[in-house]
Structures are given as structure tokens and as C-alpha cells.
């Protein structure tokens, strides 16, 4: 929606905090000259950007996973990350070359010191193992909450950093930027949550007694209610007002239906259908540039495909998990044996279903990145650079592959490190024809393949000394 001019309620809040933010007092940015605003970026600022990207995009997320799994590497890695980010913050206030106006990125960077130091203090306090019956349980809860929001803080601060670097989202474009970045981030978060449910969350979903579509439908309905009453701000109704308002009505009406159909832990296709209709609506928005039209159309098609595949997943794909519950590469579902899963499906069918179910979350991540990269200012800059829509869209898909790879890598670490890793217990697994296969999920050789018994083959029986040979 490159021509969005109306601001959602969350976008209003984002715009307010951006305009009310305090300046970063480390160095002044007032009354900058044109030469300072357009000077080359010096090496110190490049080091600041690279270090922060590595720390908040790689080191801190991995350290968070190590904390969740109680790995011994949690403390060393997070300490290393804290040292790097403190040094990088200092560099960010000491650079020469290009200077920037006062921004929320600079203010937020200063305020980040508060949760960072709090998290560091809590980590040291918990390592002392004192006040076990009084203060420590509450400190564990606060430390865990701060650790879980760390990737979100890094994502938000990184977005503001890119905005400041490129000079996007000025006063006239703040509403459009907020709408695109909030909605795009929501699609990315939706895809990541689906990936988490696929890889590590199936048991939690079963314990909750609610189908995934029940949770989806509630989020869709609540967001639709907000969208319905925040798109029109008085005066005559424009085409955009009507389109965006009816999308809100679509979401809360469809979400309510999805909640009703999901009662008693039943699955349904309503969330997938809403995704399809939303993608179609987005693909039909008229744009000023042909490049913008192509990018928005591809965003809509990607969203529609994600919805179609979600419906196929719900209706036709197996949801059974292997009996062993192992996610290790040496699990016997990777052998040639046709083992039987919990509900009678063969392991090959379960593996096929798991492979297919990665498509909807990946496409949601890709659609989110496409939408975030489709503001007027971004596409005007791309158009001025001479890049065509094919190169731009493939670049966004490349970023989606890397982001989804990073997500799956973190989930893999969660299942294979610390106290969460699969044990070496021997597992008896039922396979076809009623035989039993003895497997060791962690120690089995990747080259191991059970030898299948030929149909009708004679079975050998060895007589012991107490049995008579009737021949």
C-alpha cells in the first residue's frame, strides 16, 4: 500500500513517541549544514553498524537460546555481546563524517542502557545463588522476560537505524512508514511463530487444548476491530478509506467465524482464507510507479500463496509426530524403514508433511519483507538507482531465505543444546508388519538402514535342547 495516508492506532503511537523523543546528549545534531548531512560515512560509523548488527542479530539471539536451554555457554556469550555493544554505542556517538538530525534511533540507543544494565545486574545476581526463597524467584522471572524481548528490541532499533541512515520517514511520510513497518513486521512475526510451532511447539499446542487456528483467529479478530475504527478520520470517504476499513471488517468477521469453528480443538481454513483475501486486496492497489505496482503485486501474490498452502496444510497434511519425538538428524525417520507414527501414518509421510509445512511460514516472512520494502520513499530510491523490479524482489526473497535460515538455526540450537537436548535413551519404535525397531536417537549412525524382511520369507527357528525334532 504505497499510497497509504491514514495512520493506524499503533502507527499514531509510534509517530508520537518519535516526535516526543529526547535528544541523545552524547553529541549535538542541531543546525547541521548540508555538507554535514551529505558527507561520506566514515569508518567508525561503519564499524558501529556492523558490530551492532552482529551483536543484536546473531550473538544476543544465540545467547538467549542458550539461556532458555540452560547451556553453560549462555553467560560467556552474553557477556561478550554486552562488551561489544557497549563499545559500539560509544563508537556511534564518536564518529565523524556524515552527521544526522535528532532521531528516535539515537534517543532509543541511549535509553537501551537501562534494560541492558538491568539484565547484566540480574545475571550477576542470579549467579550468586542467594535469596533462594525470597527475591531470586522474581529475579528469574524478570530476567527471563527481558531476555525474551531482546530480539524484538534489536529488530526495532535496527529498523530505526536504517531509517536514519537512508533519511526515510520524514514528517510527511511517517504514517506510511509506520503502517508498512508495523504490518510487515507482523507478517514476519506470524511466520516465525508458525515455524516455532512446527519445529518445537506441537506438544505445547496439544497441551493447550486449542488448535493453532483458534489463536490465529483471535489475533485476526482483535486487529480487525482496531483497523475498522482507525482508518477513517472524518470528512468524505476516499477509495483508500473504504478499502482499509472493509479489510478491518473482513478480519474481525472472519476471525469470529474462525474462533467458533476452532471450538473443541477443531482445525479450520478461515485464517488461510483471510490471508488469501488480504493478499488479493493488497495486489490490487493502484500505485504511481510501475516498479511500485510490481512490488505490491508480488507481495499480494506471496501472501495469497501462503494462505493457499496453509489451507492445504490444514486439510491434507499429516500432523502426527514420530513416536520418538526426536528432532535429531540421526532419528530413524531418516532411514529407509517405513516406521509407523502416532496415528498410523508412515514416517515418510510425516517427514513429507513436516517439509511441506515450512512453506507457509517462509512465505509469510517473505511477504513481510516485501511489504516493509514497499514505501514510496524506498521505491523512489530504487527507481532512481535504475534497478528493476525483478532484481529488487529477488533481493527481498534472498533476505527472507537468510532470515528464515537464522530462525531455524536458533530453533535447532534450542532442541540440541543444554538441558533441552534429546537424551540418549533407547527407544522401541513400532514399524510396519508389526516388527519392533530398537533405535538410539542421539547415537545412531546416519548410515544405518534396517534390512527389510522379504514378503513370504521363511522364518528360522532354532531348537533348544528341550525340544524334539519332529522330522
Amino acid at each position: 500500500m504505497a499510497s497509504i495516508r491514514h495512520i493506524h492506532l499503533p502507527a499514531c503511537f509510534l509517530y508520537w513517541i518519535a516526535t516526543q523523543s529526547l535528544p541523545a546528549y552524547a553529541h549535538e545534531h542541531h543546525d547541521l549544514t548540508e555538507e554535514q548531512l551529505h558527507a561520506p560515512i566514515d569508518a567508525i560509523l561503519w564499524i558501529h553498524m556492523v558490530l551492532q548488527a552482529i551483536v543484536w542479530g546473531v550473538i544476543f539471539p544465540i545467547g538467549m537460546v542458550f539461556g532458555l536451554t540452560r547451556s553453560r555457554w549462555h553467560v560467556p556469550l552474553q557477556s561478550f555481546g554486552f562488551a561489544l555493544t557497549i563499545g559500539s554505542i560509544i563508537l556511534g556517538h564518536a564518529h565523524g563524517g556524515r552527521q544526522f538530525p535528532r532521531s528516535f534511533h539515537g534517543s532509543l540507543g541511549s535509553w537501551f542502557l537501562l534494560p541492558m544494565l538491568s539484565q547484566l545486574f540480574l545475571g550477576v545476581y542470579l549467579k550468586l545463588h542467594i535469596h533462594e526463597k525470597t527475591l531470586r524467584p522474581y529475579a528469574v522471572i524478570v530476567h527471563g522476560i527481558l531476555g525474551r524481548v531482546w530480539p524484538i528490541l534489536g529488530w526495532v532499533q535496527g529498523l530505526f537505524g536504517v531509517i536514519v541512515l537512508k533519511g526515510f520517514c520524514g514528517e510527511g511520510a511517517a504514517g506510511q512508514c509506520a503502517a508498512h513497518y508495523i504490518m510487515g513486521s507482523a507478517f514476519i512475526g506470524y511466520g516465525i511463530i508458525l515455524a516455532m510451532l512446527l519445529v518445537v511447539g506441537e506438544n505445547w499446542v496439544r497441551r493447550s487444548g486449542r488448535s493453532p487456528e483458534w489463536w490465529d483467529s483471535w489475533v485476526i479478530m482483535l486487529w480487525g476491530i482496531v483497523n475498522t475504527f482507525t482508518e477513517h478520520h472524518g470528512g468524505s470517504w476516499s477509495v483508500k478509506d473504504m478499502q482499509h476499513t472493509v479489510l478491518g471488517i473482513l478480519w474481525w468477521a472472519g476471525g469470529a467465524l474462525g474462533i467458533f469453528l476452532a471450538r473443541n480443538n477443531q482445525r479450520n481454513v478461515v485464517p488461510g482464507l483471510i490471508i488469501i483475501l488480504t493478499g488479493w486486496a493488497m495486489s490490487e492497489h493502484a500505485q504511481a510507479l510501475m516498479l511500485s505496482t510490481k512490488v505490491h503485486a508480488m507481495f499480494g501474490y506471496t501472501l495469497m500463496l501462503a494462505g493457499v498452502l496453509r489451507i492445504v496444510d490444514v486439510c491434507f497434511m499429516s500432523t502426527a509426530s514420530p513416536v520418538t519425538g526426536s528432532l535429531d538428524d540421526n532419528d530413524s525417520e531418516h532411514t529407509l524403514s517405513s516406521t509407523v507414527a502416532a496415528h498410523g501414518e508412515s514416517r515418510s509421510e510425516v517427514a513429507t508433511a513436516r517439509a511441506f509445512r515450512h512453506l507457509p511460514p517462509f512465505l509469510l516472512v517473505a511477504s513481510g519483507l516485501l511489504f516493509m520494502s514497499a514505501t514510496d520513499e524506498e521505491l523512489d530510491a530504487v527507481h532512481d538507482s535504475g534497478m528493476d523490479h525483478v532484481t529488487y524482489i529477488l533481493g527481498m526473497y534472498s533476505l527472507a531465505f537468510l532470515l528464515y535460515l537464522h530462525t531455524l538455526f536458533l530453533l535447532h540450537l534450542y532442541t540440541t543444546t543444554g538441558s533441552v537436548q534429546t537424551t540418549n535413551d533407547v527407544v522401541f519404535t513400532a514399524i510396519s508388519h508389526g516388527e519392533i525397531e530398537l533405535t538410539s536417537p542421539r547415537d545412531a549412525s546416519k548410515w544405518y538402514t534396517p534390512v527389510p524382511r522379504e514378503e513370504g520369507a521363511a522364518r528360522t527357528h532354532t531348537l533348544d535342547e528341550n525340544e524334539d525334532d519332529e522330522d
Side-chain angles (χ1 to χ4, degrees):
M1 293 183 291
S3 57
I4 292 177
R5 292 294 180 266
H6 301 292
I7 306 176
H8 297 272
L9 186 62
C12 293
F13 176 72
L14 182 65
Y15 180 74
W16 180 82
I17 60 177
T19 56
Q20 298 297 318
S21 58
L22 298 174
Y25 294 105
H27 57 293
E28 295 293 331
H29 290 300
H30 303 294
D31 302 323
L32 297 176
T33 65
E34 287 295 318
E35 182 180 359
Q36 290 175 314
L37 291 172
H38 296 92
I41 298 174
D42 69 346
I44 293 178
L45 187 56
W46 279 115
I47 294 174
H48 163 77
M49 291 186 290
V50 171
L51 278 180
Q52 293 293 61
I54 294 174
V55 170
W56 290 90
V58 180
I59 294 177
F60 278 157
I62 293 177
M64 176 195 69
V65 173
F66 284 161
L68 293 174
T69 62
R70 291 175 171 78
S71 169
R72 67 178 183 275
W73 294 104
H74 169 67
V75 173
L77 190 61
Q78 294 297 72
S79 300
F80 178 63
F82 276 118
L84 285 182
T85 195
I86 293 296
S88 181
I89 290 174
I90 295 174
L91 292 178
H93 291 297
H95 68 86
R98 183 181 302 179
Q99 302 298 313
F100 302 92
R102 185 184 73 176
S103 67
F104 192 62
H105 175 74
S107 301
L108 189 62
S110 300
W111 285 107
F112 263 26
L113 290 173
L114 178 60
M116 287 174 55
L117 294 177
S118 300
Q119 188 75 330
L120 185 61
F121 170 79
L122 286 171
V124 173
Y125 171 78
L126 292 176
K127 290 297 292 184
L128 297 177
H129 292 279
I130 57 178
H131 308 132
E132 296 281 352
K133 302 293 185 180
T134 54
L135 298 179
R136 180 179 169 82
Y138 299 100
V140 170
I141 294 174
V142 175
H143 188 67
I145 293 174
L146 286 176
R148 286 169 173 82
V149 302
W150 227 236
I152 299 176
L153 295 177
W155 176 263
V156 172
Q157 179 68 338
L159 286 180
F160 282 121
V162 173
I163 290 170
V164 171
L165 179 66
K166 306 301 288 187
F168 293 152
C169 306
E171 189 169 327
Q176 186 192 67
C177 283
H180 275 250
Y181 291 159
I182 291 173
M183 184 70 76
S185 297
F187 283 129
I188 293 173
Y190 187 12
I192 291 175
I193 291 173
L194 286 182
M196 292 171 61
L197 293 177
L198 168 63
V199 178
V200 298
E202 288 186 359
N203 291 332
W204 178 85
V205 171
R206 292 191 181 96
R207 289 196 304 269
S208 71
R210 304 289 187 181
S211 68
E213 289 72 37
W214 189 86
W215 303 99
D216 294 357
S217 298
W218 268 107
V219 173
I220 291 171
M221 187 185 74
L222 294 176
W223 184 259
I225 292 173
V226 173
N227 199 77
T228 299
F229 297 103
T230 57
E231 286 296 338
H232 180 64
H233 304 279
S236 60
W237 283 76
S238 67
V239 174
K240 297 296 183 183
D241 288 346
M242 291 185 285
Q243 286 181 345
H244 299 157
T245 300
V246 79
L247 272 176
I249 297 173
L250 171 76
W251 293 340
W252 67 253
L257 175 61
I259 293 171
F260 179 78
L261 293 177
R263 70 191 190 283
N264 300 325
N265 199 20
Q266 298 298 310
R267 306 203 67 181
N268 65 84
V269 300
V270 172
L273 183 59
I274 293 175
I275 293 174
I276 294 172
L277 293 173
T278 303
W280 171 77
M282 299 294 186
S283 67
E284 292 296 314
H285 278 232
Q287 308 298 325
L289 296 174
M290 180 59 68
L291 172 66
S292 181
T293 301
K294 295 289 187 180
V295 172
H296 278 78
M298 190 61 185
F299 159 67
Y301 299 153
T302 302
L303 203 57
M304 292 166 67
L305 182 58
V308 170
L309 296 179
R310 182 73 191 277
I311 292 176
V312 173
D313 173 27
V314 171
C315 295
F316 304 107
M317 291 291 106
S318 169
T319 59
S321 299
V323 173
T324 60
S326 171
L327 295 175
D328 191 82
D329 290 339
N330 292 329
D331 192 275
S332 58
E333 72 175 79
H334 297 280
T335 69
L336 298 181
S337 63
S338 179
T339 53
V340 178
H343 300 288
E345 299 91 343
S346 69
R347 283 182 180 272
S348 61
E349 292 173 347
V350 173
T352 300
R354 292 181 67 87
F356 179 88
R357 291 174 66 194
H358 280 291
L359 286 173
F362 167 74
L363 291 172
L364 286 170
V365 170
S367 66
L369 286 174
L370 283 171
F371 194 56
M372 294 179 68
S373 64
T375 64
D376 286 342
E377 292 176 310
E378 290 170 322
L379 295 179
D380 285 341
V382 173
H383 177 73
D384 293 340
S385 71
M387 185 184 300
D388 69 335
H389 68 279
V390 175
T391 303
Y392 189 64
I393 290 172
L394 292 180
M396 291 301 106
Y397 261 87
S398 300
L399 290 178
F401 279 121
L402 292 175
L403 180 55
Y404 197 68
L405 169 64
H406 187 44
T407 300
L408 294 184
F409 172 72
L410 293 177
L411 294 175
H412 175 74
L413 283 182
Y414 179 79
T415 61
T416 57
T417 61
S419 60
V420 182
Q421 64 180 331
T422 307
T423 62
N424 291 331
D425 296 337
V426 173
V427 178
F428 290 94
T429 306
I431 63 175
S432 57
H433 306 299
E435 294 99 341
I436 293 179
E437 178 186 354
L438 184 64
T439 62
S440 177
R442 298 290 298 176
D443 296 331
S445 169
K446 68 174 65 177
W447 309 112
Y448 164 72
T449 301
V451 178
R453 185 186 302 277
E454 296 182 3
E455 293 292 338
R459 301 194 178 210
T460 304
H461 176 69
T462 304
L463 297 176
D464 60 31
E465 60 183 12
N466 295 323
E467 292 184 298
D468 296 329
D469 188 350
E470 298 179 357
D471 293 341

